[in-house]
Amino acid sequence: MMKFRPRSEFLETMEARGFLSDVTDFQQLDAVMRSECVPAYIGFDATAPSLHVGSLIQIMMLRWLQRTGHKPIVLMGGGTTKVGDPSFRSDERPLLEPQQIDGNIQSIKSVFDRYMSFGSESADAIIANNADWLDSLNYLEFLREVGRHFSVNRMLSFDSVKSRLDREQSLSFLEFNYMILQAYDFLELNRRYGCRLQMGGSDQWGNIVNGVDLTRRSENRLVFGLTSPLLTTASGAKMGKTAGGAVWLNPDMCSPYQFWQYWRSVDDADVGRFLLLFTELPVDECRRLGALAGSEVNESKIILANSATELAHGEAASRAAAATARDVFEFGGIGDELPKVKLDRKHLRDGKLSVVQAFVFAGLAESGKASRRLIGGGGARINDEPVGDPGRMLTSEDLENPIKLSAGRKRHAILELDE
């Protein structure tokens, strides 16, 4: 695939910054992207009220697509979320009610406004919802028009399906239909908006190839598929997952400070790669910053955190998060942007709360056992003072003023009594 250098600005950017895994027809796509504005889409299922950092590589691909003169199509999975993507999962996704899916879509949409511009110009982004065509499908007509193009033998050979069957884990007929529905999305987007390219993570390669094949056969049009590498951290962890849970993109689910702190805390080995993928700094500068070692790499991490947070939440939020970090780490302050947790008085027993439960309520420990382990390991602090005794109780008088809880040096929260 990479035996020649791409000449289109988009593919050149994708290659230089590490976004490329596979392309269905690399040279032909490169030629098309040099000669015309190419509409391209990525689908996002609405399984939660927010996307998380694991989706950010796809969002950045759409951003670069627009920046290089092409048209992003954000496809919300109002229909496919009702089925659930089985790709590389060990069990079936919980089914959501239609009202919940609609609410999630409305909540998710705000994220894209920060990464691309929408409007009526040729390269302006649009948002589509596959419920617009999937909800009204006639099953028999769909089978005749679309189902006849799919070989069950071939579908069973895809890694996303084969891995479930090899482990003798149940794969429902509902899930098995997902890849056909996703392929049909590409066909519909081609018909409605002239979409020429579907993009996604490399775990979607089989689904994307299905869509390319279906659209070529049905419409006799040249269309393409492109995937990015599946991203894990240097430690092997899934991107966007932390000890405190997922790093969400919506500020009401993950504050700008928490988002900033995620990037500030990445492994040294990830800095250069993440600068290329999640910022718009020049490639050479990303590589220079990524090559720094020792104490110098901390400055690179701050640049990464500032740049990624500015894209996601704006310059003001990025500056405030950085200022809070300085206040907390350099001066031992409370920090205005630290996540605040309201504690209902009903959780107090005889006017007291154990420090073990305090760290659980603050979201700094997943359970009482984890909280005791944190305290026993010397990683728990209250107002910057070590907590040595897991049996210590906080009184209502202690909680009358907000208190800062710290788990290690990088995770903090403010706990205060609700009025």
Side-chain angles (χ1 to χ4, degrees):
M1 183 183 73
M2 301 296 184
K3 292 183 179 179
F4 75 103
R5 287 187 61 85
R7 294 171 57 195
S8 64
E9 187 180 0
F10 176 68
L11 289 180
E12 187 178 47
T13 300
M14 291 295 96
E15 182 183 39
R17 302 189 80 95
F19 284 97
L20 279 187
S21 178
D22 288 296
V23 183
T24 54
D25 190 338
F26 191 73
Q27 295 186 45
Q28 186 67 50
L29 176 60
D30 190 53
V32 170
M33 298 197 89
R34 290 200 312 273
S35 63
E36 61 187 86
C37 172
V38 174
Y41 92 95
I42 298 177
F44 301 88
D45 278 346
T47 55
S50 172
L51 301 174
H52 59 68
V53 165
S55 299
L56 197 50
I57 188 170
Q58 312 303 330
I59 297 173
M60 290 299 295
M61 289 170 73
L62 289 173
R63 181 176 173 88
W64 281 113
L65 183 85
Q66 186 171 54
R67 287 200 61 184
T68 54
H70 303 284
K71 186 180 188 68
I73 301 174
V74 178
L75 180 64
M76 302 306 304
T80 44
T81 305
K82 296 171 183 175
V83 176
D85 185 1
S87 298
F88 299 99
R89 286 183 60 89
S90 60
D91 55 6
E92 188 171 351
R93 292 180 185 273
L95 295 181
L96 304 181
E97 293 297 323
Q99 297 85 347
Q100 189 176 358
I101 294 172
D102 291 343
N104 288 347
I105 288 174
Q106 292 305 313
S107 180
I108 288 169
K109 280 182 177 180
S110 61
V111 169
F112 296 100
D113 290 330
R114 301 194 287 271
Y115 285 92
M116 58 202 78
S117 60
F118 293 82
S120 57
E121 299 299 321
S122 60
D124 281 341
I126 60 173
I127 290 183
N129 185 338
N130 62 19
D132 292 346
W133 51 86
L134 295 181
D135 280 1
S136 58
L137 281 179
N138 179 293
Y139 188 57
L140 290 178
E141 289 181 6
F142 181 72
L143 288 178
R144 287 172 61 87
E145 179 189 358
V146 177
R148 64 190 178 90
H149 292 295
F150 287 82
S151 162
V152 171
N153 304 63
R154 186 163 180 256
M155 292 166 72
L156 290 171
S157 71
F158 287 130
D159 288 341
S160 58
V161 173
K162 195 170 181 293
S163 61
R164 285 274 284 274
L165 300 180
D166 286 347
R167 295 194 299 267
E168 297 184 355
Q169 291 167 329
S170 175
L171 180 71
S172 71
F173 182 70
L174 179 69
E175 294 175 288
F176 193 58
N177 274 269
Y178 186 93
M179 64 179 73
I180 302 178
L181 297 177
Q182 183 171 328
Y184 185 67
D185 284 343
F186 197 177
L187 176 59
E188 275 292 330
L189 290 171
N190 181 266
R191 289 170 172 171
R192 293 172 182 235
Y193 307 108
C195 184
R196 302 288 300 278
L197 171 66
Q198 179 183 175
M199 302 187 291
S202 59
D203 61 335
Q204 295 296 313
W205 178 248
N207 292 339
I208 289 173
V209 169
N210 277 335
V212 170
D213 289 345
L214 175 63
T215 305
R216 285 179 175 177
R217 290 176 182 176
S218 300
E219 302 298 304
N220 195 26
R221 292 174 182 166
L222 186 60
V223 293
F224 307 91
L226 181 154
T227 61
S228 61
L230 283 185
L231 204 58
T232 57
T233 64
S235 64
K238 193 173 182 180
M239 184 71 185
K241 298 291 186 180
T242 70
V247 182
W248 302 103
L249 300 183
N250 282 27
D252 59 333
M253 295 180 66
C254 176
S255 73
Y257 171 77
Q258 291 171 300
F259 188 83
W260 188 96
Q261 192 59 52
Y262 172 78
W263 300 105
R264 172 63 180 84
S265 303
V266 300
D267 192 289
D268 293 0
D270 287 325
V271 174
R273 185 168 54 125
F274 286 1
L275 282 164
L276 286 166
L277 292 171
F278 302 115
T279 80
E280 294 178 324
L281 295 174
V283 169
D284 288 344
E285 178 66 1
C286 292
R287 290 172 177 162
R288 183 190 73 80
L289 291 169
L292 297 178
S295 60
E296 289 183 318
V297 77
N298 289 323
E299 186 59 34
S300 299
K301 291 182 181 182
I302 290 173
I303 292 171
L304 170 62
N306 288 342
S307 300
T309 306
E310 183 173 339
L311 282 174
H313 299 295
E315 183 179 1
S318 178
R319 289 181 179 274
T324 292
R326 285 194 300 272
D327 183 36
V328 171
F329 296 121
E330 295 180 21
F331 308 114
I334 289 287
D336 291 337
E337 299 298 316
L338 287 181
K340 295 178 173 61
V341 179
K342 295 285 188 180
L343 178 67
D344 195 309
R345 291 180 183 272
K346 69 181 182 182
H347 293 298
L348 300 182
R349 293 190 176 182
D350 298 325
K352 296 178 181 179
L353 177 73
S354 73
V355 291
V356 168
Q357 286 302 308
F359 280 87
V360 175
F361 279 125
L364 299 176
E366 295 181 353
S367 64
K369 183 177 180 180
S371 183
R372 291 185 186 89
R373 188 164 56 246
L374 175 70
I375 295 168
R381 291 175 176 264
I382 294 180
N383 292 334
D384 298 318
E385 294 295 326
V387 180
D389 179 12
R392 176 180 166 185
M393 303 296 290
L394 298 172
T395 67
S396 55
E397 287 77 15
D398 294 327
L399 295 164
E400 284 302 329
N401 295 311
I403 60 174
K404 182 174 78 171
L405 304 181
S406 304
R409 294 187 63 253
K410 299 177 180 178
R411 297 175 58 223
H412 309 270
I414 303 300
L415 186 66
E416 54 189 357
L417 279 177
D418 203 357
E419 296 298 332

